[in-house]
Amino acid sequence: MAEFTMELDEDQRGVRDWLHGFAEDVMRPAAAEWDEREEFPWPVVQEAAKIGLYSLDFFAQQFLDPTGLGIPMTMEELFWGDAGLGLAIAGTGLAAVGVFANGTEEQIGTWVPQMYGDAAEVKVAAFCSSEPDAGSDVSAMRTRAVYDEAKDEWVLNGTKTWATNGGIAGVHVVVAVVDPALGARGHASFIVPPGTAGLSQGQKFKKHGIRASHTAEVVLDGVRVPGHCLLGGREKLEHRLARARERAKGERETGAGARNAAMATFEASRPAVGAQAVGIARAAYEVALEYAKDRVQFGRPIIDNQGVAFQLADMRTRIDAARLLVWRASWMATAGRPFTSAEGSMSKLFAGETAKTVTAQAMQILGGNGYTREYPVERMHRDAAIYTVFEGTSEIQRLVIARAVSGVGIR
Ligand SMILES: Cc1cc2nc3c(=O)[nH]c(=O)nc-3n(C[C@H](O)[C@H](O)[C@H](O)COP(=O)(O)OP(=O)(O)OC[C@H]3O[C@@H](n4cnc5c(N)ncnc54)[C@H](O)[C@@H]3O)c2cc1C
């Protein structure tokens, strides 16, 4: 396993420069238009597919990079280009990770390639966990999966919400309750193959930011999927449920609180989301730095004022600190080191808060221009706001970190 490094090697620098070129030449010029249209940017994703960027091959290669830096580097460059377009390209990855995390080799081989399609026919995928009454509290999930033994089919009923690519996806990965008595430990993930009857898109949300990314409700009304669509398979599920029942019994006896298993699963994907936030923050900082050098008031560039220059110094310091936390967590995940102090959550918390703060500072430095859509920082500020909400809110990250470092079941 590679040692922790803060330097990209020659190959990684080549990939980064290639991504940067796409971000600068294709994403940046298209960003404002798709933000205004608030539609999924199929042409941009198709462009990315044509050059092999939107593909399982490319993302798998970065994921397997032994230094752990492939994915954060990729996310930072794409989201430096634009966050809405970036999520249109990266959103399928969340569903893919859901299958990698829980699926068998055969399921991974069957479903993950279908999620991306190919350059001739681009596809996206969705990961559907959140529900109207189950956001941070995953254990409140209601979507039910019941096994129909006679037909070897699972029947899914419920309503999912906030699903990135929900309804426009080919493959949907759906988390559902198989044993209500076990709370979050009684959940399982299912593949809903493209075109399955009973799955439909509900409301499409109009959003504050990342407006090129599609976010919608997904309604599951008597959706029947073959038995082999249960991720991990029946035997593994029964084994896991039996262990959970034993553990639940033990906890009732000892009075210990049940831990939310889904939180631990998400912990591993959080550095990648943190890297997206770093990309947005860096983009806004760069615009503000150039603007502060150019804009003249009182006969000198505004950066001549410490009040402005010190803000830029703080912005840059925070961005670099956020990147270091993200790289540390990504390296730890790749090296198989456990997040004993919730290092994944730390990276997402700090990077998400950094993106929100830095984009607000950038708007302030641009004065009136910062408040208009003539300059990109207004959009970046709206985009950044989601980074303290999705993939676990900042409060939930603090909860995870506090529990990990204290060993106390803080609520
Ligand atoms: C654009 C977008 C895309 C998304 N994409 C997906 C997706 O692809 N798939 C998916 O499954 N989900 C997705 N989500 C859902 C997202 O993960 C949830 O919105 C998030 O987990 C928060 O849940 P909630 O919105 O129900 O907020 P709530 O859980 O209702 O929280 C509301 C507020 O209460 C705070 N709070 C709640 N509990 C506690 C506590 N114990 N201690 C302290 N504070 C607390 C929260 O931090 C927050 O500030 C997406 C959401 C958005 C907006």
Side-chain angles (χ1 to χ4, degrees), residues 62-380:
Q62 299 317 310
F63 188 73
L64 295 173
D65 176 352
T67 67
L69 301 185
I71 288 289
M73 171 192 83
T74 300
M75 294 301 172
E76 183 176 333
E77 289 314 315
L78 292 178
F79 284 72
W80 174 90
D82 180 64
L85 300 175
L87 199 59
I89 293 170
T92 296
L94 188 60
V97 167
V99 178
F100 274 114
N102 301 305
T104 62
E105 296 269 312
E106 201 186 335
Q107 287 169 327
I108 294 168
T110 304
W111 298 109
V112 179
Q114 288 194 44
M115 291 180 167
Y116 288 87
D118 54 39
E121 204 181 344
V122 167
K123 304 275 187 212
V124 293
F127 179 76
C128 312
S129 171
S130 302
E131 296 182 2
D133 291 326
S136 302
D137 182 8
V138 190
S139 65
M141 190 178 288
R142 284 198 209 142
T143 295
R144 254 323 234 132
V146 176
Y147 187 55
D148 178 346
E149 195 112 36
K151 293 189 173 153
D152 183 27
E153 285 178 346
W154 286 90
V155 188
L156 307 179
N157 279 292
T159 300
K160 293 293 177 182
T161 195
W162 313 115
T164 299
N165 299 338
I168 62 166
V171 176
H172 289 76
V173 177
V174 173
V175 186
V177 178
V178 289
D179 184 340
L182 292 175
R185 290 195 188 115
H187 297 173
S189 298
F190 297 86
I191 293 282
V192 180
T196 303
L199 183 148
S200 60
Q201 182 185 306
Q203 179 189 2
K204 179 192 167 187
F205 294 101
K206 288 176 92 64
K207 303 196 297 292
H208 178 63
I210 52 161
R211 300 201 301 189
S213 171
H214 172 100
T215 316
E217 284 178 337
V218 171
V219 180
L220 302 144
D221 183 9
V223 170
R224 285 185 164 267
V225 298
H228 62 77
C229 286
L230 164 68
L231 288 176
R234 196 77 204 286
E235 203 175 311
K236 198 170 147 203
L237 174 70
E238 290 306 336
H239 182 67
R240 189 162 59 78
L241 293 178
R243 266 196 0 232
R245 284 181 197 116
E246 274 306 301
R247 213 184 298 168
K249 214 168 85 196
E251 275 161 6
R252 269 196 299 277
E253 278 155 15
T254 60
R259 195 167 169 275
N260 185 338
M263 276 190 195
T265 315
F266 276 124
E267 177 81 353
S269 68
R270 284 178 176 154
V273 179
Q276 298 172 0
V278 171
I280 303 170
R282 189 183 113 210
Y285 156 79
E286 287 175 5
V287 174
L289 178 63
E290 287 315 305
Y291 191 90
K293 287 184 194 164
D294 284 350
R295 173 70 174 167
V296 174
Q297 287 292 277
F298 302 100
R300 58 200 170 115
I302 59 170
I303 199 169
D304 270 7
N305 303 290
Q306 283 191 356
V308 174
F310 282 12
Q311 276 200 69
L312 286 158
D314 284 345
M315 289 157 78
R316 176 60 195 266
T317 304
R318 280 199 69 151
I319 293 166
D320 280 17
R323 185 184 299 106
L324 283 173
L325 284 174
V326 164
W327 283 19
R328 175 181 73 165
S330 296
W331 173 77
M332 288 178 75
T334 305
R337 306 267 169 118
F339 288 153
T340 48
S341 302
E343 287 87 347
S345 284
M346 279 189 202
S347 71
K348 197 271 177 179
L349 168 64
F350 192 75
E353 292 291 337
T354 293
K356 215 166 152 182
T357 307
V358 165
T359 53
Q361 287 173 305
M363 274 178 79
Q364 187 65 17
I365 289 171
L366 266 70
N369 281 328
Y371 200 67
T372 70
R373 295 194 184 177
E374 298 300 308
Y375 285 79
V377 291
E378 180 269 346
R379 186 181 68 250
M380 292 166 182

